[in-house]
């Protein structure tokens, strides 16, 4: 890349900044492979950033024919006007040089001011036109989520796309979903229209549901399942929820029907054959399948022996054997996902998984379930009774034991908790303690109803509110110093997530709090903020407790997405 292109790319990064957060699974990443996992995340982020600004540069560098013609016409008109003005000025100068010199100076000043105003208006129009161009080409947060997850799917190290875990029959069946945080009004009242909000300040009492989601489950023969979900989502956004004769447009597809839809819409599909096999099955995934299949057969034949051996291991608490066992299980929960905030403030999230090894054919995990695998919601401001009501933007992408995450709807419920709390750390901590690890799932609303009935809300004064905020700040400071939570009882729960909270400050800067948490031993995390850093950051987060599934590790980092 030459110097001019490098400078151009740096300008694009300042003008169109993005934040990307990704994860590779939650489970046990062996020490031997941790470097490889970090390289995998680093490469995916780096490729995505490079491809993103390559595309933006290509789209915006196309010649503007209409603008060129308009500039030519304007130049011709200006030349004619200048000639006429020169003739008039010459005639006038012969009559009165002193007066005309003063008038010319004033006119020049006025012309310069008019030019500056016109240049500013033209720059603003160009910026608006550039944003419209990017939107027409679907270059936004959803495209970024699709792209970075596609790179992760293509890496044979991950349990998604190429290298996925195999079913009991030895086949690849993938799950994936994607969500855009855009607010889409479905009640025909233009809930999210700014002009409508401003014109009806005293009438807005509630808004209809927004957001667009799509997913695929148990799909085979598709190289990148996340691309299929992204295409489903785009159809909803740009063609509506209904088709001809009132038919409903699908938001989730499974099995052969998903593959057929992908083929009909130009996505890359393939058929497995006896000679070449399935290109998504790698040597390592096949070896793992044979190993676990043999282990399962041995367990069936020598069930009593295995039960005795497990009891001895628990009593002896042999750390070496435990570590070896964990290394065997490292492939079980290696889902990949991403959350993104783009230059326009839009938020999207996505997730992709090959599922648990030796799963039953047709099994669908959390990656294909609405509210479980991923969640995204844009920041929202509504004017009501001359007051501004603001809701932060949120997003989440989850990984772990699919059945457990599905029961808890982990991504949606965690984002809901974040919106209700002042601090993202406190919100996620409370969610893991009171909901996820406490098995407070399907009937979680019952606890809320009981609490409301047994202890009605008291009337708080302003002083009480100030005192409550101080207590929250003290809780936040204390919490940041101790990220390992005391053990819980009951059956274990293995899961993790990355999440963010996005707010726009008074200066128009986008403030992002990025957080990762997991009850497993390790979790791969990566991120990049293009407005402040040129290199991605990737690492393996480690839960130092000796009882994964009963406690969790939580950490966070703050960013500013500055658009220049």
């Amino acid at each position: 890349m030459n110097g001019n292109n490098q400078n151009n790319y740096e300008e694009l990064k300042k003008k169109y900044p993005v934040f990307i957060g990704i994860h590779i699974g939650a489970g046990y990443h062996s020490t031997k492979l941790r470097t490889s996992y970090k390289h995998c995340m680093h490469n995916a982020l780096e490729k995505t950033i490079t491809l993103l600004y390559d595309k933006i540069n290509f789209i915006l560098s196309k010649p503007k024919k209409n603008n060129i013609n308009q500039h030519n016409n304007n130049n011709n008109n200006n030349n004619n006007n200048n000639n006429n003005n020169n003739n008039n000025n010459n005639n006038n100068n012969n009559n009165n040089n002193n007066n005309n010199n003063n008038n010319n100076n004033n006119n020049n000043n006025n012309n310069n001011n008019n030019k500056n105003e016109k240049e500013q208006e033209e720059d603003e129009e160009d910026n608006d036109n550039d944003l419209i161009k990017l939107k027409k080409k679907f270059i936004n947060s959803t495209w970024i989520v699709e792209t970075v997850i596609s790179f992760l799917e293509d890496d044979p190290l991950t349990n998604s796309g190429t290298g996925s875990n195999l079913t009991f029959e030895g086949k690849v069946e993938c799950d994936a979903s994607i969500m855009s945080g855009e607010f889409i009004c479905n009640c025909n009242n233009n809930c999210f229209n700014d002009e409508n909000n401003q014109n009806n300040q005293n009438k807005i009492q509630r808004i209809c549901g927004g957001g667009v989601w799509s997913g695929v489950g148990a799909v085979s023969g598709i190289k990148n399942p996340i691309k299929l979900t992204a295409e489903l989502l785009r159809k909803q956004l740009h063609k509506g929820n209904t088709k001809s004769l009132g038919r409903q447009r699908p938001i989730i597809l499974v099995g052969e029907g998903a593959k057929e839809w992908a083929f009909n819409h130009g996505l890359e599909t393939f058929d497995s054959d006896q000679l070449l096999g399935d290109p998504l099955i790698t040597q390592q995934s096949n070896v793992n399948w044979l190993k676990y299949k043999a282990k399962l057969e041995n367990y069936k034949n020598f069930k009593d022996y295995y039960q005795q051996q497990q009891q001895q291991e628990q009593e002896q608490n042999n750390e070496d054997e435990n570590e070896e066992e964990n290394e065997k299980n490292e492939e079980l929960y290696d889902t990949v996902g991403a959350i993104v905030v783009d230059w326009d403030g839009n938020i999207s999230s996505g997730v992709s998984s090959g599922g648990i090894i030796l799963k039953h054919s047709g099994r669908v995990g959390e990656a294909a379930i609405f509210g479980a695998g991923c969640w995204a919601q844009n920041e929202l401001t509504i004017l009501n009774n001359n007051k501004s009501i603001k809701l932060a933007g949120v997003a989440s992408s989850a990984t772990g034991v699919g059945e457990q995450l599905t029961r808890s709807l982990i991504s949606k419920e965690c984002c809901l908790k974040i919106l209700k709390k002042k601090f993202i750390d406190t919100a996620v901590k409370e969610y893991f303690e009171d909901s996820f690890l406490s098995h407070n799932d399907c009937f979680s609303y019952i606890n809320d109803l009981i609490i409301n009935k047994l202890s009605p809300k008291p009337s708080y004064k302003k002083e009480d509110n100030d005192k409550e905020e101080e207590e929250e700040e003290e809780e936040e400071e204390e919490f940041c110093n101790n990220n390992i939570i005391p053990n819980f009882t009951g059956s274990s729960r293995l899961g993790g997530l990355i999440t963010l909270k996005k707010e726009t400050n008074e200066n128009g800067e986008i403030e992002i709090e990025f957080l990762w948490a997991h009850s497993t031993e390790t979790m791969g995390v990566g991120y990049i903020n293009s407005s402040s850093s040129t290199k991605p950051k990737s690492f393996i987060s480690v839960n130092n407790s000796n009882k994964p599934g009963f406690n969790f590790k939580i950490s966070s980092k703050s960013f500013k997405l500055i658009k220049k």
Side-chain angles (χ1 to χ4, degrees):
M1 183 181 296
N2 58 39
N4 293 333
N5 287 338
Q6 182 67 34
N7 293 334
N8 189 30
Y9 274 49
E10 293 302 321
E11 291 179 3
L12 290 177
K13 288 181 179 180
K14 294 177 181 178
K15 192 174 182 180
Y16 304 101
V18 296
F19 172 82
I20 309 174
I22 62 173
H23 67 81
I24 293 186
Y28 179 84
H29 300 86
S30 66
T31 306
K32 297 177 182 178
L33 291 178
R34 288 183 187 181
T35 302
S36 299
Y37 277 107
K38 288 190 287 186
H39 283 316
C40 172
M41 292 183 287
H42 184 277
N43 291 337
L45 289 169
E46 201 168 53
K47 289 178 181 178
T48 301
I49 289 294
T50 301
L51 182 59
L52 170 64
Y53 292 109
D54 277 341
K55 274 190 162 291
I56 293 177
N57 184 53
F58 176 76
I59 293 170
L60 301 185
S61 62
K62 288 184 178 180
K64 307 175 184 178
K65 294 182 179 180
N66 293 332
N67 290 340
I68 291 174
N69 292 332
Q70 289 178 0
H71 282 304
N72 289 335
N73 292 331
N74 290 333
N75 288 333
N76 291 331
N77 292 331
N78 288 332
N79 289 332
N80 292 330
N81 291 331
N82 288 333
N83 291 332
N84 293 329
N85 290 331
N86 288 332
N87 292 331
N88 293 330
N89 288 333
N90 289 331
N91 293 328
N92 291 330
N93 283 332
N94 291 329
N95 296 324
N96 195 342
N97 289 329
N98 293 329
N99 291 333
N100 279 329
N101 285 333
N102 294 329
N103 290 332
N104 285 335
N105 290 331
N106 292 330
N107 288 334
N108 287 333
N109 292 330
N110 291 331
N111 288 335
N112 290 331
N113 292 331
N114 290 333
K115 285 182 180 180
N116 291 331
E117 292 178 358
K118 287 182 180 179
E119 287 176 357
Q120 291 178 358
E121 292 177 358
E122 289 176 358
D123 290 340
E124 292 178 358
E125 289 180 1
D126 289 340
N127 291 335
D128 293 338
N129 292 333
D130 290 344
L131 291 175
I132 293 173
K133 281 185 176 183
L134 295 178
K135 288 181 180 179
K136 287 183 177 179
K137 295 295 183 179
F138 309 119
I139 305 301
N140 51 25
S141 59
T142 304
W143 180 88
I144 298 170
V145 167
E146 173 192 358
T147 302
V148 69
I149 292 181
S150 295
F151 284 128
L152 292 172
E153 288 176 336
D154 292 340
D155 195 308
L157 190 64
T158 68
N159 175 28
S160 60
T162 304
S164 292
N165 286 331
L166 305 184
T167 65
F168 190 83
E169 291 78 15
K171 297 180 180 180
V172 171
E173 292 184 359
C174 295
D175 306 324
S177 62
I178 194 169
M179 185 169 184
S180 169
E182 297 178 67
F183 289 98
I184 307 298
C185 176
N186 293 315
C187 68
N188 298 322
N189 289 327
N190 294 324
C191 289
F192 309 110
N193 184 283
D194 292 336
E195 295 180 0
N196 184 64
N197 289 343
Q198 293 172 2
N199 295 332
N200 298 278
Q201 294 179 3
N202 300 319
K203 296 182 180 180
I204 296 177
Q205 300 296 328
R206 56 180 297 172
I207 59 175
C208 69
V212 186
W213 177 92
S214 65
V216 294
V219 294
S220 302
I222 298 177
K223 184 174 182 291
N224 295 108
I226 194 65
K227 290 187 177 181
L228 173 53
T229 66
E231 188 63 24
L232 280 169
L233 186 139
R234 281 190 282 267
K235 293 295 182 183
Q236 294 180 63
L237 278 174
H238 303 287
K239 293 194 175 182
N241 295 327
T242 57
K243 302 171 69 176
S244 58
L245 300 178
R247 294 177 299 156
Q248 288 294 309
R249 195 175 300 281
I251 65 172
I252 182 170
L253 295 171
V254 297
E256 287 297 320
K259 180 182 176 182
E260 181 182 354
W261 194 95
F263 177 80
N264 293 336
H265 288 79
L267 299 177
E268 185 176 354
T269 61
F270 58 85
D271 295 319
S272 300
D273 55 54
Q274 295 180 351
L275 181 61
L276 299 177
D278 189 335
L280 298 183
I281 299 178
T282 62
Q283 183 179 3
Q284 186 60 47
S285 61
N286 198 39
V287 167
N288 292 335
W289 178 76
L290 291 172
K291 178 178 64 176
Y292 281 104
K293 195 74 179 293
K295 183 178 179 180
L296 182 61
E297 292 298 325
N298 290 334
Y299 180 81
K300 290 180 179 180
N301 295 330
F302 306 99
K303 188 175 182 179
D304 294 337
Y305 169 76
Y306 272 93
Q307 289 178 346
Q308 291 177 0
Q309 188 179 31
Q310 287 176 357
Q311 290 178 358
Q312 291 177 359
E313 288 179 356
Q314 290 177 0
E315 293 174 358
Q316 295 174 358
N317 192 20
N318 190 315
E319 296 181 359
D320 294 335
E321 290 180 1
N322 285 338
E323 183 175 354
E324 182 180 355
E325 186 68 18
N326 285 329
E327 288 184 3
K328 292 179 182 178
N329 291 334
E330 66 176 291
E331 299 87 6
L332 295 181
Y333 323 115
D334 227 6
T335 302
V336 302
I339 51 180
V340 171
V341 180
D342 68 16
W343 49 87
D344 221 13
N346 292 317
I347 305 175
S348 295
S349 64
V351 63
S352 180
S353 175
I356 197 167
I357 197 168
L358 295 184
K359 64 181 180 179
H360 192 285
S361 181
R363 177 262 192 187
V364 174
E366 95 289 343
I369 303 299
F370 179 78
C374 65
W375 194 258
Q377 175 217 296
N378 279 3
E379 188 177 0
L380 177 64
T381 302
I382 295 179
L383 296 177
N384 191 12
N385 295 326
N386 297 321
K387 292 182 179 180
S388 179
I389 302 174
K390 292 185 177 182
L391 286 179
V394 290
S396 179
S397 180
T399 174
V401 180
E403 284 71 17
Q404 296 176 356
L405 303 182
T406 298
R407 292 190 191 100
S408 62
L409 291 179
I410 183 171
S411 290
K412 179 182 178 181
E413 291 298 321
C414 189
C415 286
L416 181 60
K417 186 73 72 173
I418 293 171
L419 290 173
K420 292 180 178 180
K421 290 288 182 179
K422 183 176 182 180
F423 300 108
I424 186 173
D425 314 66
T426 308
V428 176
K429 172 179 179 288
E430 185 175 310
Y431 172 75
F432 267 78
E433 288 180 343
D434 298 342
S435 298
F436 184 64
L437 292 180
S438 299
H439 299 264
N440 188 11
D441 299 332
C442 299
F443 299 146
S444 58
Y445 55 86
I446 292 180
N447 289 329
D448 295 334
L449 293 174
I450 293 173
I451 293 172
N452 290 333
K453 288 186 177 182
L454 293 179
S455 55
K457 295 181 180 179
S459 58
Y460 287 102
K461 298 180 180 179
K462 184 177 180 181
E463 296 177 357
D464 296 331
N465 291 332
D466 294 339
K467 187 180 295 184
E468 185 177 348
E469 289 182 1
E470 292 178 0
E471 290 177 354
E472 285 185 356
E473 291 177 359
E474 291 176 359
E475 179 185 356
E476 177 73 6
E477 292 176 359
E478 180 182 358
F479 170 69
C480 289
N481 294 327
N482 185 17
N483 290 332
I484 302 298
I485 311 304
N487 290 347
F488 291 92
T489 59
S491 58
S492 65
R493 279 207 155 177
L494 296 170
L497 56 79
I498 56 172
T499 185
L500 65 79
K501 183 177 182 181
K502 175 244 174 186
E503 294 178 296
T504 304
N505 62 24
E506 297 177 353
N507 298 325
E509 299 172 337
I510 296 176
E511 297 180 345
I512 298 173
E513 292 180 271
F514 177 58
L515 180 145
W516 56 97
H518 56 98
S519 62
T520 55
E521 291 196 36
T522 61
M523 179 177 176
V525 180
Y527 58 83
I528 185 170
N529 177 12
S530 67
S531 66
S532 61
S533 176
T534 57
K535 293 183 179 181
K537 175 76 173 178
S538 59
F539 55 92
I540 303 297
S541 175
V542 179
N543 183 353
N544 293 320
S545 71
N546 58 357
K547 293 188 68 177
F550 294 95
N551 50 34
F552 62 95
K553 170 70 177 293
I554 181 170
S555 299
S556 63
K557 190 172 179 62
S558 299
F559 301 91
K560 277 190 178 181
L561 203 62
I562 303 174
K563 187 176 179 180
K564 298 180 181 180

